């Protein structure tokens, strides 16, 4: 049986915009028990990822509160993404290559439709 990412992904995904404050993103993370939130453009295309670590380091080194900083100040390279019809092995290989624990899942139009984590893959038995 061929299992796809779509069958394993979390499809209720929270996302933020580049203009959101880090305080808003931190609130989303707290409420959703999340360690990372994808950043999307107006069409919900992933353009970045923000982690709880990113927020902590940014506020520490800037000396400013999270409400004074926005997501745009932390965006770096476009995130690695996986398509929902790809195999779990493809996601695992991409995670290893990029050294990340979470990937945004996109459809054929590159629109965010979910998230897949290392934990999701481990629970399915992917090596």
């Amino acid at each position: 049986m061929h299992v796809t990412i779509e069958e394993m992904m979390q499809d209720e995904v929270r996302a933020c915009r580049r203009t959101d404050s880090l305080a808003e993103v931190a609130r989303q993370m707290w409420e959703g028990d999340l360690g990372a939130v994808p950043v999307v453009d107006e069409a919900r295309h992933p353009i970045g990822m923000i982690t709880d670590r990113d927020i902590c380091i940014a506020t520490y080194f800037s000396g400013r509160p999270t409400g004074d900083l926005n997501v745009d100040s932390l965006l770096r390279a476009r995130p690695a993404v996986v398509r929902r019809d790809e195999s779990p092995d493809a996601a695992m290989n991409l995670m290893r290559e990029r050294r990340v624990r979470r990937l945004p899942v996109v459809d054929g139009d590159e629109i965010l439709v979910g998230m897949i984590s290392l934990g999701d893959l481990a629970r399915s038995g992917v090596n």
Side-chain angles (χ1 to χ4, degrees), residues 53-100:
R53 183 178 185 276
D54 293 333
I55 294 171
C56 291
I57 290 172
T59 55
Y60 177 79
F61 283 106
S62 72
R64 297 168 55 196
T66 55
D68 289 353
L69 300 168
N70 65 20
V71 169
D72 198 44
S73 65
L74 298 182
L75 285 184
R76 295 180 296 273
R78 292 184 71 84
V81 299
V82 65
R83 292 190 187 277
R84 66 179 171 196
D85 61 348
E86 289 189 79
S87 73
D89 288 331
M92 181 62 79
N93 290 336
L94 186 56
M95 286 181 184
R96 279 187 189 125
E97 178 184 307
R98 292 290 190 97
R99 297 180 184 214
V100 296

Side-chain angles (χ1 to χ4, degrees), residues 1-66:
M1 181 169 89
H2 177 68
V3 178
T4 64
I5 295 297
E6 186 168 28
E7 296 170 77
M8 305 168 66
M9 72 181 193
Q10 301 163 23
D11 58 4
E12 290 187 28
V13 60
R14 293 177 188 234
C16 64
R17 299 279 180 94
R18 63 184 331 134
T19 56
D20 289 346
S21 74
L22 295 187
E24 172 58 25
V25 179
R27 184 188 62 74
Q28 283 190 47
M29 288 178 175
W30 178 261
E31 290 175 355
D33 192 25
L34 306 169
V37 175
V39 183
V40 296
D41 64 14
E42 296 76 27
R44 287 195 55 88
H45 298 123
I47 58 171
M49 287 286 288
I50 297 295
T51 66
D52 48 4
R53 183 178 185 276
D54 293 333
I55 294 171
C56 291
I57 290 172
T59 55
Y60 177 79
F61 283 106
S62 72
R64 297 168 55 196
T66 55

